[in-house]
Amino acid sequence: MKKLSAVQIKQQALVLDIANKLEEQGRAELPGMLQCWFDVEYHLFPSSLLLCFQFENEKNLDAAKPDLLKWQKRLSGAMLKKGVVLKNMRKHLVFTLETPDE
């Protein structure tokens, strides 16, 4: 694995901080949410950022889907506060049943 540059390390810290805060909020507000994980290619940041809210079953996932846009807006707002603009907020956060390893 290629070593991250100083800028990429800052980007990683920023994404981790926001992901942790959203995960905490998500667990409190969304029944059945297990964890928040993300995937990013730092050389294509921020367009490559994908945050995933993992749910324990299909029932909880379906119940949470109406709130997806609200959570996408929260991610976009949190990133904007840190000076990062997400051009299309809808493609950066998804609800899923998949684990980070899948």
Side-chain angles (χ1 to χ4, degrees):
M1 186 168 161
K2 186 179 165 191
K3 193 173 180 183
L4 297 178
S5 71
V7 170
Q8 291 169 333
I9 290 170
K10 285 181 183 179
Q11 292 169 342
Q12 183 182 47
L14 179 139
V15 172
L16 273 170
D17 180 51
I18 290 172
N20 286 334
K21 287 177 183 171
L22 288 178
E23 179 179 38
E24 188 178 314
Q25 291 173 1
R27 284 186 180 172
E29 296 178 32
L30 299 169
M33 185 190 151
L34 297 175
Q35 66 177 338
C36 172
W37 52 274
F38 68 90
D39 184 36
V40 66
E41 293 178 35
Y42 293 103
H43 64 285
L44 298 173
F45 183 80
S47 64
S48 67
L49 176 64
L50 177 62
L51 220 66
C52 300
F53 279 21
Q54 180 185 343
F55 288 84
E56 62 184 351
N57 58 42
E58 193 74 40
K59 180 183 163 203
N60 290 331
L61 177 65
D62 290 340
K65 281 187 179 176
D67 290 333
L68 179 59
L69 181 60
K70 173 177 84 172
W71 287 94
Q72 290 168 334
K73 287 179 179 179
R74 284 185 185 184
L75 171 62
S76 183
M79 294 295 282
L80 191 58
K81 284 181 183 177
K82 300 286 186 175
V84 177
V85 176
L86 299 177
K87 291 184 181 178
N88 183 356
M89 70 178 176
R90 292 178 188 261
K91 75 175 203 173
H92 295 286
L93 190 142
V94 295
F95 290 172
T96 185
L97 294 174
E98 293 179 12
T99 66
D101 301 327
E102 292 178 19

